[in-house]
Amino acid sequence: MPSSTIADIARQARVSKTTVSRVLNGRPDVDAGTAGRVLEIVAELGYVPSASARALANGRARCLGFLVPSLTLPWLLELLRGAIDEAESADHILAVHTVARGPDSLTALAALVAARAIDGLVAVVPRELGGDLDRLHRRGLPVALIDDAPPPGLPSIWTTDRAGGRDATAHLLGRGATPVAMIAGPRASPAAQQRQAGYGDALAAAACPLDLDLVEEGDWTAHGGERAMARLLARRPDLRGVFAANDLMAFGAVRAAARAGRSVPADLAVVGFDDTPAAALATPALTTVRQPLYEMGRAAARLAVTRL
């Protein structure tokens, strides 16, 4: 059966198409009897307004895009929860997209922007796609990044990585868990660099020399954290404390410690970074630096909406 149109509704209700549009948009300048008759016919015909047509008419789709690298990231749920709550409070919906197909995903997103299917964009994407987002931004799309090193000119929300790294290390030093090692993130990551800088700050504040023999590079994964911890324990069996630059690597570090016969936290203290939901469910529960993921998601969505 062909889809119903505003013209069909207007013909059956014996009103103008303008009147039907006013009713569908909730305008108060249509008398109650006419509005009721129009809505009855809308229900009978099963009419569903076209999102793109309404966007063209109103100038807004009332939809924000949320672009992410993958749906498997352990910290993504809290970001999404915050962004959804903020979008809904601003009478918008949130449409989630991934960059699984690389530049092709951005091409598909650009088509949605051209069709006015989304009003703005919140993005957590690999750095190599920053140029594509910048082009969308310069063409008028409000963009808010959740990014530790955004391209110049693009607004961004991020956490205080260096302060978090300092606090995590200071916590271990305050417990007397020395020597304190670090499982750092990949060298190319600005967040990893800042968290490692915070580790160095805390050591300097406690008059502890920075020993690079106590630093191992990880890859943000539990498996990478496990391997890095094994290398640290092989070199320094006297370790008493370890700061892992994210929770997944901390979980791997705990597993490697258990395999080496070390009890956590009795004789080896481990601190992570992120406060993912799994941190409280681990046995023992993981001590971790809380990254305010929910608040970051809300703040990024608010930034996108206010730039509309």
Side-chain angles (χ1 to χ4, degrees):
M1 175 186 253
S3 299
S4 300
T5 67
I6 285 180
D8 297 329
I9 298 166
R11 186 167 52 253
Q12 290 202 32
R14 297 181 182 176
V15 297
S16 69
K17 290 190 288 184
T18 300
T19 298
V20 175
S21 294
R22 288 175 183 275
V23 173
L24 292 175
N25 286 301
R27 296 283 295 273
D29 51 352
V30 181
D31 73 81
T34 301
R37 188 165 74 253
V38 168
L39 291 174
E40 283 180 11
I41 294 168
V42 166
E44 286 172 12
L45 296 179
Y47 173 74
V48 178
S50 159
S52 58
R54 292 190 68 173
L56 286 168
N58 301 328
R60 288 277 184 89
R62 305 209 74 83
C63 177
L64 288 181
F66 192 97
L67 190 63
V68 296
S70 162
L71 296 177
T72 61
L73 300 168
W75 40 264
L76 178 61
L77 182 60
E78 282 298 285
L79 281 180
L80 263 175
R81 196 168 66 85
I84 288 170
D85 283 354
E86 185 62 32
E88 288 182 348
S89 72
D91 196 26
H92 281 65
I93 61 172
L94 197 75
V96 181
H97 308 268
T98 73
V99 293
R101 293 179 295 135
D104 288 345
S105 297
L106 270 295
T107 301
L109 184 69
L112 291 175
V113 174
R116 299 192 188 180
I118 61 172
D119 298 321
L121 183 67
V122 177
V124 189
V125 296
R127 194 135 299 118
E128 59 268 22
L129 297 180
D132 299 85
L133 293 180
D134 186 51
R135 280 188 286 277
L136 290 175
H137 177 64
R138 282 189 276 107
R139 276 156 48 187
L141 179 70
V143 175
L145 300 185
I146 301 175
D147 195 330
D148 52 356
L154 279 177
S156 177
I157 299 293
W158 196 249
T159 192
T160 48
D161 286 306
R162 187 165 186 155
R166 183 182 64 240
D167 291 346
T169 308
H171 172 77
L172 290 165
L173 292 169
R175 285 187 45 154
T178 55
V180 176
M182 180 177 183
I183 300 175
R187 287 190 186 91
S189 163
Q193 294 165 12
Q194 288 296 304
R195 293 173 197 183
Q196 187 170 346
Y199 166 76
D201 291 344
L203 291 176
C208 294
L210 175 62
D211 182 355
L212 294 180
D213 205 37
L214 292 170
V215 178
E216 270 291 337
E217 183 179 355
D219 59 3
W220 299 130
T221 70
H223 188 52
E226 185 174 2
R227 288 179 300 183
M229 186 76 226
R231 292 192 294 270
L232 283 168
L233 287 173
R235 282 201 308 269
R236 297 295 299 267
D238 60 330
L239 277 185
R240 297 292 309 283
V242 177
F243 164 44
N246 76 339
D247 285 354
L248 280 179
M249 293 193 297
F251 296 144
V254 171
R255 192 161 58 203
R259 199 170 59 245
R262 303 292 298 274
S263 175
V264 176
D267 66 350
L268 180 65
V270 177
V271 174
F273 195 114
D274 281 337
D275 193 21
T276 52
L281 302 176
T283 304
L286 179 67
T287 298
T288 181
V289 175
R290 180 176 180 272
Q291 187 166 207
L293 298 166
Y294 173 83
E295 291 84 354
M296 290 164 67
R298 283 206 78 138
R302 187 181 310 121
L303 185 57
V305 168
T306 56
R307 293 174 65 85
L308 290 175

